[in-house]
Amino acid sequence: MSTILITGGTGLLGSALTELLTSKGHDVIILTREQKSSHSPNISYAVWNVKDQNIDKNAVSRADYIIHLAGAGVADKRWTKDRKKEIVESRTESSALLVKAIKEIPNKVKAVISASAIGYYGDDEKRSAKKPAFTEDMRPDKEFLGDTCRLWEESIEPVQKEGKRLVKLRIGIVLSNDGGALPEFKKPIKFGIAGVLGSGKQVISWIHIEDVCRMFLFAIENENMHGVYNAVAPTPVRNKDLTILLAEKMKGRFFIHAHVPAIALRLMLGEMSVEVLKSATVSSDKVRVDGFTFKYPTIEGALENLVNEK
């Protein structure tokens, strides 16, 4: 079994991924800002300080693989100038520290699997009419998130010069009961209101939390994987359809649906509302061609599992 070093290991994805990796017999080292003790024999913690560009050398030397998830939450706060700077630098500076560590510390790292996001792409309106979905070979959007994802990906690419296999997963909207978008969709439904955002026609490229974790493991285990892959389910869904289906699974027929006007979202969220209202149809063909099979390929199956999860 392998030892896997994870940045961002205490977040939504990192926590679920740690659980999956340890269940498969792997040892996980989670990088944190302060030393922590672990109650699991397969999980340990090591200290790093991105601001000071310091990292536990022993953790790096022990690692067979590195999974890079670290980055300030994009949807956690309004996008002020300072917040935007924090979002970008939390990603690029943490990547720079990993690159520096791999270059300077003797290690046996075989591959680096780095998170990115489908924010790399713009709105469907910017996609060529000849293309049914965004694919990995397309150029980044020039707006804030597109530029952030481009810088994020570029910042980790120098590990390849050190002979490390690099896989970058552009992650879609992760559906999980433990955080992210789904609990926000559920909140009004609990009171019998299915809140459709804007027109409701915007396409959401989503992925079940279990599938995105399985994809990271798949990237570790498959040496033929190199470069960028979209981590999205093969069946994108309109906002309205997702909301109504979720309401039906939670409430049966006992709900009403109401539109939250785009102007209200702009007032509440500021510039960040662009991402809520954006339609992005993203392809998962590349990862499926490489052999990945989705456990939850449809929104119906994903919501059925998550709504009934104990």
Side-chain angles (χ1 to χ4, degrees):
M1 293 294 102
S2 300
T3 297
I4 301 165
L5 183 65
I6 302 182
T7 76
T10 58
L12 172 66
L13 178 54
S15 298
L17 187 51
T18 296
E19 185 175 341
L20 173 64
L21 293 172
T22 54
S23 75
K24 299 295 184 181
H26 298 292
D27 291 328
V28 172
I29 305 172
I30 299 173
L31 287 171
T32 58
R33 283 173 287 189
E34 296 179 359
Q35 187 61 54
K36 296 182 179 181
S37 58
S38 173
H39 300 292
S40 168
N42 297 106
I43 301 172
S44 59
Y45 294 89
V47 175
W48 74 333
N49 186 312
V50 174
K51 184 178 180 182
D52 294 338
Q53 291 286 285
N54 290 324
I55 191 168
D56 186 313
K57 293 180 179 181
N58 183 55
V60 175
S61 64
R62 287 173 55 199
D64 296 299
Y65 299 92
I66 295 176
I67 292 178
H68 183 32
L69 307 174
V74 170
D76 291 352
K77 300 176 183 178
R78 287 176 73 96
W79 289 355
T80 62
K81 183 178 179 180
D82 287 344
R83 182 59 178 174
K84 283 184 174 182
K85 185 171 183 284
E86 182 182 3
I87 287 171
V88 173
E89 291 183 351
S90 64
R91 288 160 170 77
T92 58
E93 292 182 0
S94 57
S95 294
L97 178 50
L98 289 179
V99 171
K100 177 173 175 278
I102 287 172
K103 186 175 182 178
E104 297 178 358
I105 301 168
N107 67 84
K108 55 179 179 173
V109 173
K110 299 173 186 176
V112 177
I113 319 299
S114 181
S116 183
I118 61 169
Y120 182 96
Y121 308 110
D123 191 275
D124 280 330
E125 292 180 357
K126 298 179 181 179
R127 174 170 44 82
S128 168
K130 296 179 182 178
K131 296 278 189 177
F134 286 109
T135 54
E136 290 85 349
D137 58 347
M138 292 183 178
R139 293 182 178 181
D141 187 39
K142 294 181 180 179
E143 299 300 326
F144 171 63
L145 276 192
D147 200 45
T148 297
C149 291
R150 176 185 63 80
L151 292 168
W152 191 3
E153 293 182 16
E154 289 176 354
S155 66
I156 196 64
E157 286 173 0
V159 298
Q160 295 174 106
K161 295 179 181 178
E162 303 306 315
K164 310 304 181 185
R165 179 170 63 91
L166 176 63
V167 179
K168 294 172 284 188
L169 298 182
R170 290 180 187 152
I171 302 170
I173 304 301
V174 176
L175 298 185
S176 166
N177 287 323
D178 297 322
L182 191 62
E184 299 304 312
F185 280 117
K186 284 182 174 182
K187 282 179 182 178
I189 295 173
K190 290 176 181 177
F191 297 98
I193 301 171
V196 177
L197 305 180
S199 69
K201 295 179 181 179
Q202 64 271 34
V203 174
I204 297 173
S205 291
W206 59 276
I207 187 167
H208 190 290
I209 183 71
E210 191 173 337
D211 275 334
V212 71
C213 290
R214 290 177 57 246
M215 197 178 293
F216 272 92
L217 180 59
F218 185 79
I220 284 174
E221 295 176 339
N222 289 269
E223 294 182 4
N224 62 310
M225 283 186 73
H226 293 266
V228 182
Y229 293 82
N230 292 328
V232 294
T235 53
V237 63
R238 296 192 310 169
N239 172 268
K240 179 178 180 180
D241 297 334
L242 185 155
T243 304
I244 298 303
L245 182 61
L246 179 60
E248 288 173 348
K249 292 192 178 296
M250 289 177 64
K251 291 290 188 178
R253 296 182 180 181
F254 301 99
F255 69 91
I256 58 172
H257 74 265
H259 285 268
V260 181
I263 190 170
L265 289 168
R266 293 189 185 102
L267 288 171
M268 288 188 292
L269 302 175
E271 186 181 351
M272 192 164 61
S273 65
V274 172
E275 290 307 305
V276 175
L277 298 168
K278 185 173 79 174
S279 179
T281 308
V282 180
S283 170
S284 64
D285 288 351
K286 184 179 177 182
V287 74
R288 287 186 289 159
V289 167
D290 271 15
F292 183 78
T293 302
F294 286 86
K295 186 175 180 179
Y296 300 101
T298 68
I299 194 64
E300 290 84 357
L303 293 181
E304 183 72 29
N305 168 261
L306 291 165
V307 169
N308 294 323
E309 186 178 66
K310 300 299 182 182

